[in-house]
């Protein structure tokens, strides 16, 4: 793992987190639209924008992918976008925001733990300082909210756990597919995922539209269209594309830690929206999350140094 490739992957992961953090502002900017409608609208817009952008390369990509790849795209689109957001929305509705955010915050830990079993990855002992910092930061973020709102219902907790499993599976599977498809760029894979997600979102749009009993003005719908268009472009096309760059450039154990930047930026946007500074506990949490990424990067540098030394010994021996 070269230094240049690592820095590129980390930079891509940070910027992806900055774009993804904007998703948490969407429900506040369109509070009169239900989450399911926002999800359907976002993914339909994602599919439309992706189809326009991928059109010039469509013939080449169609010939480069076989049935297995298209089946993988359908599966990844479903578990990483459709299923994940439906479970997330249900968890928020039945279990509350605080509990859902706490459970989903376990994503970096889950992906990193899965990645630690791969070849040439740092051991769990080497990753322990990083995981400890990330866990402590997550506890600091969630403790205040959970103390006031509680864990919500069992249904909400199960849905949040399902969303956690769903996106962890997506992150691991997507990273492995990107490693296999060296002839397909990270952004082309993202755009193809967007096209498939858009097709799947048509099914999601039916209950989203017919289940809405609120009356919206033309101005409300224009604002909604602008919001889902912005989410599709910045959060999905750009954010997911950068995430694919990070997934291809970094080992899974380090890619998992990049997810914390979504939490960090979402928190920062929330403070700006509320017009306040983070509390001391929230500030400590953000520092711990960043420290977890730094320690994880250091563990990978040590692993790379040891691997390089062993390879050199084998060549000279």
């Amino acid at each position: 793992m070269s230094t240049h490739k690592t820095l590129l992957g980390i930079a891509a992961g940070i910027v992806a987190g900055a774009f993804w953090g904007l998703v948490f502002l969407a429900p506040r900017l369109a509070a009169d639209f239900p989450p399911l409608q926002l999800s359907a609208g976002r993914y339909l817009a994602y599919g439309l924008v992706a189809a326009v952008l991928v059109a010039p390369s469509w013939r080449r990509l169609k010939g480069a992918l076989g049935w297995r790849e298209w089946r993988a795209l359908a599966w990844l689109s479903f578990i990483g976008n459709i299923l994940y957001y439906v479970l997330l929305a249900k968890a928020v509705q039945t279990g509350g925001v605080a509990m859902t955010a706490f459970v989903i915050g376990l994503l970096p830990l889950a992906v990193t733990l899965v990645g630690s079993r791969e070849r040439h990855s740092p051991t769990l002992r080497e990753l322990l300082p990083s995981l400890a910092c990330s866990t402590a930061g997550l506890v600091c973020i969630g403790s205040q909210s959970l103390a006031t709102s509680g864990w919500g219902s069992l249904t909400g907790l199960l849905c949040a756990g399902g969303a956690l499993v769903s996106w962890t599976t997506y992150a691991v599977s997507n990273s492995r597919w990107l490693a296999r498809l060296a002839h397909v760029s990270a952004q082309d894979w993202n755009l193809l995922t967007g096209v498939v997600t858009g097709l799947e979102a048509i099914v999601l749009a039916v209950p989203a539209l017919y289940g809405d009993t609120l009356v919206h003005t033309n101005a409300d719908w224009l604002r909604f269209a602008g919001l889902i268009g912005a989410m599709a472009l910045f959060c999905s096309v750009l954010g997911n594309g950068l995430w694919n760059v990070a997934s291809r450039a970094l080992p899974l154990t380090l890619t998992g830690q990049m997810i914390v930047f979504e939490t960090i930026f979402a928190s920062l946007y929330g403070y700006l929206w509320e017009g306040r500074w983070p509390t001391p506990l929230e500030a400590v949490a953000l520092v711990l999350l960043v420290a977890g990424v730094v320690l994880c990067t250091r563990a990978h540098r040590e692993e790379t140094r040891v691997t390089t030394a062993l390879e050199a010994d084998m060549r000279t021996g």
Side-chain angles (χ1 to χ4, degrees):
M1 186 173 62
S2 67
T3 302
H4 175 74
K5 189 176 181 181
T6 301
L7 291 176
L8 174 65
I10 291 174
I14 291 173
V15 181
F19 282 130
W20 284 348
L22 294 170
V23 174
F24 291 83
L25 284 179
R28 302 186 184 190
L29 294 172
D32 48 343
F33 288 90
L36 191 62
Q37 212 165 70
L38 280 171
S39 175
R42 173 192 173 183
Y43 292 135
L44 285 171
Y46 178 24
L48 180 61
V49 174
V52 172
L53 293 177
V54 83
S57 307
W58 176 252
R59 184 172 298 178
R60 172 178 58 83
L61 291 171
K62 185 179 178 182
L65 300 179
W67 170 244
R68 287 187 60 200
E69 286 75 20
W70 286 109
R71 187 173 59 184
L73 280 168
W75 171 245
L76 291 171
S77 299
F78 177 70
I79 62 171
N81 292 321
I82 305 298
L83 179 62
Y84 169 72
Y85 198 90
V86 169
L87 288 171
L88 184 70
K90 185 66 175 179
V92 170
Q93 290 173 347
T94 59
V97 175
M99 179 278 298
T100 304
F102 184 85
V103 175
I104 297 302
L106 295 171
L107 270 171
L109 305 180
V111 175
T112 300
L113 287 172
V114 173
S116 67
R117 302 182 62 181
E118 296 196 337
R119 188 181 179 187
H120 297 315
S121 294
T123 64
L124 278 177
R125 183 176 180 180
E126 293 169 324
L127 291 170
L128 187 59
S130 170
L131 295 174
C133 281
S134 298
T135 303
L138 179 62
V139 170
C140 288
I141 285 179
S143 59
Q144 287 182 315
S145 299
L146 290 173
T148 56
S149 61
W151 285 93
S153 69
L154 178 60
T155 301
L157 184 61
L158 291 174
C159 287
L164 173 66
V165 173
S166 176
W167 212 88
T168 300
T169 304
Y170 163 79
V172 174
S173 300
N174 188 59
S175 178
R176 289 172 177 168
W177 272 105
L178 283 168
R180 295 173 194 165
L181 300 171
H183 59 291
V184 178
S185 72
Q187 181 63 345
D188 281 341
W189 185 251
N190 171 43
L191 294 177
L192 290 172
T193 303
V195 172
V196 177
T197 300
L199 293 173
E200 293 177 348
I202 295 174
V203 179
L204 187 65
V206 175
L209 291 174
Y210 283 95
D212 185 13
T213 58
L214 300 175
V215 178
H216 304 289
T217 64
N218 290 335
D220 291 334
W221 283 112
L222 284 174
R223 175 167 50 87
F224 177 77
L227 182 61
I228 62 173
M231 283 198 298
L233 178 60
F234 292 104
C235 304
S236 295
V237 173
L238 294 177
N240 292 2
L242 287 165
W243 175 255
N244 282 350
V245 171
S247 296
R248 179 166 277 174
L250 302 173
L252 194 56
T253 42
L254 188 51
T255 303
Q257 285 297 302
M258 293 297 103
I259 305 173
V260 303
F261 286 104
E262 179 184 12
T263 302
I264 291 171
F265 280 102
S267 300
L268 294 176
Y269 298 151
Y271 304 146
L272 289 173
W273 177 264
E274 297 168 3
R276 67 176 180 89
W277 291 95
T279 65
L281 192 60
E282 289 169 339
V284 170
L286 295 178
V287 171
L288 286 169
L289 290 175
V290 173
V293 176
V294 172
L295 291 171
C296 189
T297 304
R298 182 175 297 177
H300 282 83
R301 284 181 179 174
E302 292 296 328
E303 182 67 21
T304 301
R305 191 175 296 118
V306 171
T307 301
T308 303
L310 287 174
E311 290 175 350
D313 290 340
M314 291 176 65
R315 287 195 296 267
T316 57

